[in-house]
Amino acid sequence: MGTILAAEATNGSTSRTLTITLFLVFVAITLAITVWASRQTKTATDFYAGGRQFSGFQNGMAIGGDYMSAASFLGIAGLIALYGYDGFLYSIGFLVAWLVALLLVAEFLRNSGRYTMADVLAFRMRQRPVRTAASVSTIVVSIFYLIAQMVGAGALVSLLLGIKPGATFLGMDADTAKVATIILVGALMIIYVTVGGMKGTTYVQIVKAFMLMGGALIMVVMVLAHYKFNLSALLGDAADQSGKGSAFLEPGLRYGVETAGDAAKTFYSKMDLLSLGLALVLGTAGLPHILTRFYTVPTSRIARKSVLWAIGIIGTFYLFTLALGFGAAALVGGANITAQDKAGNTAAPQLAQQLGIDYLGGDTGGSIMLAVIAAVAFATILAVVAGLTLASSSSLAHDFYASVIKRGTASERDEVRVARISALLIGAVAIALSIFAQSLNVAFLVALAFAVAASANLPAILYSLFWRRFNTAGALWSIYGGLGAAVILVFFSPVVSGSATAMFPDQDWQWFPLSNPGIISIPLGFFFGWLGTVLSKETDPEKYAELEVRSLTGHGAH
């Protein structure tokens, strides 16, 4: 028994050393890229839009890097591993969303704006109130999303460092190590953004996209090879090991659950599914960190091409999540996954460990695979949080400081300096909030960010681009109305209080029955935009005509 424990301890420390080494190598490479990029960053255009020098493929990879977050890699694989068919709904929603971005937003936005989403919204409106609203909304969405990524980092760490309950690492128990990780990730993302700007952040995302696709592909091939490329055997085994039997491969384990004798509960469960679908499909086109990526290319044609590349990369990756999720259910087992992390966020790394044991032999093989995939997951988190922080600090500096406070008189140098200070402040807020949100599933937290983006940003963007009558009052009503509705409904939902997995499980002020507010808050965002517009007399058809020509042709675009 003593020998086994000693061997386990040795393997644990091998895995730990390897993980930390690989992670430090990634951090060193990306920091080097960031420092190199900082030397190329001379103007505000360099800082906000990477000098608009990226090709369609590079920007497509970077969009993939920005979009395939910890939620995709850890959260969706975990949901599929625990809920089977229902977990896959996230993958489909996240992918279909790109059609909305491609057809309705990418090209028009690139032609009409300069650095941020507010450039388009404020083009034919009163600048100061609209830019203030856009800035508030950008920061709220980004912080929701940042929390998801950092919670993912915290969940990973206790698994990676092998900290079991009662054990310690560098004198820290599992909970302290999670908090320390959240602080470390926050500090690194602040460095990436303040030093490297958009150029550094984009290259970090491209490197990470290659790492993530490579790591996921290796695992998918290993899983399929284990079942001799027989999908039926994989699905059958996954259903058996999940502990849920054939129900695992059918809808209704998590969403649309039929509750015998309780029609209201059944109805709410089905509405929750609809709400989630709406939020996922409409949210992408309103995410500030995705919208700013369209400005990093020279023309709208390349913006469209980069979205096509992104759809190809992201679509392939979401197919991979199917094999990863069902593979984790089959080879690791539902009980082992929930024992490590209740929300299932560690299913993919646990699968990597199991595949390493099967293919590379013994615990050392498991340690190697776990370390590689964990380093990839960390890289994923760092790249995404850098993109989010950049989007929100750009909005604070360009929209709020330069246009609202300084009324357009700020120099480029001052604007970039304020963007760097904003990155520090937003990083600090995200770190503080993430420490409290550790019990929530990562994919689920991201779905909330999508709901807020779809409720506040998307109505204003679409009205602005396509409705001649739209005016300042409409823009303010749609942003604040959609944002307020989404945030208030989330606050009174089972996510925050009144349930075992809530943010505050011991408190109960919940009255809104759905976990995702999208089905109520998204229509409200569109309704408020219409109502604000028709109640206001303001209209400027000439400015709309100018925006229409610019958005369709790119004439006069920056």
Side-chain angles (χ1 to χ4, degrees):
M1 181 70 185
T3 337
I4 293 169
L5 284 174
E8 259 193 18
T10 317
N11 286 318
S13 63
T14 312
S15 166
R16 194 177 286 181
T17 313
L18 196 59
T19 304
I20 294 171
T21 310
L22 280 170
F23 178 58
L24 290 177
V25 167
F26 173 77
V27 169
I29 292 169
T30 48
L31 283 176
I33 291 171
T34 308
V35 170
W36 168 82
S38 71
R39 293 189 178 143
Q40 319 285 317
T41 301
K42 308 266 191 308
T43 64
T45 305
D46 288 337
F47 185 84
Y48 292 132
R52 307 198 205 285
Q53 290 164 349
F54 293 103
S55 69
F57 174 68
Q58 284 177 319
N59 198 40
M61 284 301 279
I63 289 174
D66 227 344
Y67 195 68
M68 297 181 296
S69 60
S72 307
F73 187 47
L74 304 174
I76 296 177
L79 284 169
I80 294 174
L82 297 182
Y83 300 103
Y85 181 96
D86 278 10
F88 188 50
L89 291 168
Y90 277 90
S91 289
I92 295 171
F94 280 144
L95 182 60
V96 171
W98 276 100
L99 291 176
V100 179
L102 173 67
L103 300 173
L104 293 178
V105 176
E107 199 176 344
F108 302 118
L109 207 72
R110 170 64 195 89
N111 281 338
S112 318
R114 197 167 161 209
Y115 300 137
T116 63
M117 169 184 88
D119 290 336
V120 178
L121 299 182
F123 185 78
R124 60 193 183 102
M125 318 280 177
R126 294 202 309 279
Q127 295 278 326
R128 296 178 73 204
V130 173
R131 284 189 184 273
T132 305
S135 208
V136 168
S137 156
T138 296
I139 288 161
V140 172
V141 173
S142 298
I143 282 178
F144 262 118
Y145 216 124
L146 276 169
I147 292 171
Q149 306 309 317
M150 290 157 96
V151 166
L156 258 181
V157 158
S158 48
L159 171 71
L160 298 185
L161 301 179
I163 309 174
K164 302 275 188 295
T168 58
F169 171 69
L170 296 179
M172 297 184 288
D173 62 11
D175 290 339
T176 320
K178 281 183 182 179
V179 172
T181 308
I182 287 171
I183 294 169
L184 172 72
V185 168
L188 279 168
M189 81 183 179
I190 292 167
I191 293 168
Y192 286 151
V193 173
T194 50
V195 178
M198 178 58 96
K199 235 177 215 171
T201 304
T202 302
Y203 282 117
V204 168
Q205 282 158 347
I206 292 170
V207 169
K208 165 253 152 138
F210 275 110
M211 282 176 68
L212 183 59
M213 292 299 281
L217 178 65
I218 291 166
M219 284 170 71
V220 167
V221 170
M222 284 174 149
V223 168
L224 294 176
H226 184 91
Y227 288 97
K228 300 188 173 55
F229 293 86
N230 180 341
L231 288 177
S232 180
L234 166 62
L235 295 176
D237 213 3
D240 293 343
Q241 297 302 319
S242 67
K244 312 218 169 60
S246 61
F248 187 70
L249 303 178
E250 292 162 13
L253 267 184
R254 182 178 168 104
Y255 297 107
V257 181
E258 298 277 350
T259 310
D262 193 339
K265 204 168 178 185
T266 303
F267 173 74
Y268 289 141
S269 184
K270 291 184 174 174
M271 282 297 104
D272 224 351
L273 168 60
L274 207 57
S275 196
L276 172 74
L278 256 182
L280 295 183
V281 171
L282 297 177
T284 297
L287 289 175
H289 68 297
I290 296 296
L291 297 177
T292 54
R293 289 238 61 88
F294 299 137
Y295 296 128
T296 63
V297 292
T299 66
S300 61
R301 187 163 169 236
I302 297 178
R304 199 167 60 234
K305 197 178 278 183
S306 61
V307 175
L308 289 172
W309 270 111
I311 288 175
I313 293 159
I314 293 163
T316 309
F317 178 74
Y318 285 137
L319 283 175
F320 288 171
T321 58
L322 260 183
L324 297 179
F326 284 118
L331 299 173
V332 181
N336 291 333
I337 293 168
T338 44
Q340 177 65 46
D341 184 278
K342 283 199 293 290
N345 293 326
T346 56
Q350 283 175 280
L351 171 64
Q353 191 170 20
Q354 189 57 49
L355 290 169
I357 292 169
D358 293 350
Y359 281 92
L360 307 176
D363 285 343
T364 313
S367 302
I368 292 168
M369 271 300 283
L370 174 63
V372 171
I373 296 306
V376 168
F378 265 125
T380 298
I381 290 166
L382 280 178
V384 175
V385 291
L388 284 161
T389 312
L390 183 66
S392 37
S393 61
S394 299
S395 182
L396 254 183
H398 179 64
D399 299 330
F400 192 67
Y401 171 75
S403 303
V404 177
I405 296 175
K406 289 289 187 182
R407 297 173 184 252
T409 60
S411 68
E412 282 200 347
R413 188 180 218 161
D414 280 351
E415 210 178 298
V416 171
R417 182 175 53 82
V418 171
R420 290 182 160 134
I421 296 166
S422 310
L424 226 163
L425 294 174
I426 289 158
V429 171
I431 290 169
L433 288 173
S434 304
I435 290 169
F436 288 104
Q438 290 181 53
S439 65
L440 300 173
N441 177 289
V442 177
F444 169 72
L445 276 168
V446 165
L448 293 184
F450 272 66
V452 177
S455 310
N457 299 347
L458 187 68
I461 291 170
L462 293 183
Y463 279 148
S464 206
L465 289 170
F466 301 112
W467 188 21
R468 183 184 303 274
R469 174 84 203 278
F470 195 51
N471 54 29
T472 305
L476 298 179
W477 280 51
S478 78
I479 293 175
Y480 288 131
L483 183 68
V487 171
I488 289 165
L489 292 177
V490 167
F491 184 74
F492 289 107
S493 76
V495 179
V496 175
S497 71
S499 71
T501 54
M503 215 167 175
F504 301 102
D506 306 331
Q507 309 293 322
D508 188 1
W509 55 76
Q510 176 240 332
W511 53 258
F512 181 65
L514 306 182
S515 296
N516 195 299
I519 198 163
I520 308 286
S521 61
I522 297 170
L524 272 178
F526 280 99
F527 170 73
F528 283 133
W530 169 81
L531 188 64
T533 303
V534 296
L535 291 179
S536 164
K537 298 272 191 296
E538 180 196 347
T539 177
D540 191 344
E542 286 171 14
K543 207 72 172 143
Y544 174 73
E546 191 185 333
L547 177 69
E548 192 174 30
V549 170
R550 181 184 276 206
S551 70
L552 290 169
T553 64
H555 179 72
H558 292 283

